[in-house]
Amino acid sequence: MTRDEFESKRAENLERLQRIEEREKNYNKENANGFDKVCHFLNVFAGVLGKSFENYMKKMEKDL
């Protein structure tokens, strides 16, 4: 697979992911109850904490 093929496939996959996320977001807005909203908040919060911890660990590795 050439670099151009890889970049083309990557762009297609990113576009598909964005469409899926947008469709899911719209569905969740229309059909979400209180419990779903709390679960979504906790999921996003955990994702942010995980990413922050990952960045912190990468920074610590560079400092060693």
Side-chain angles (χ1 to χ4, degrees):
M1 176 181 283
T2 66
R3 183 70 178 175
D4 291 336
E5 290 172 334
F6 172 78
E7 291 296 330
S8 174
K9 196 64 145 169
R10 182 175 181 265
E12 289 174 16
N13 288 337
L14 288 174
E15 289 173 12
R16 186 179 313 136
L17 177 62
Q18 288 174 344
R19 285 193 309 267
I20 291 170
E21 288 174 344
E22 187 66 29
R23 196 168 44 228
E24 181 180 327
K25 188 168 92 173
N26 290 337
Y27 176 81
N28 287 338
K29 280 183 181 178
E30 296 169 0
N31 300 314
N33 60 25
F35 181 73
D36 290 336
K37 290 178 182 179
V38 170
C39 288
H40 175 72
F41 170 77
L42 292 175
N43 191 17
V44 170
F45 184 71
V48 169
L49 284 179
K51 188 65 175 174
S52 177
F53 182 71
E54 178 183 354
N55 291 338
Y56 176 76
M57 293 304 291
K58 286 180 182 178
K59 182 177 181 279
M60 292 302 290
E61 287 177 359
K62 287 180 183 178
D63 291 343
L64 293 178

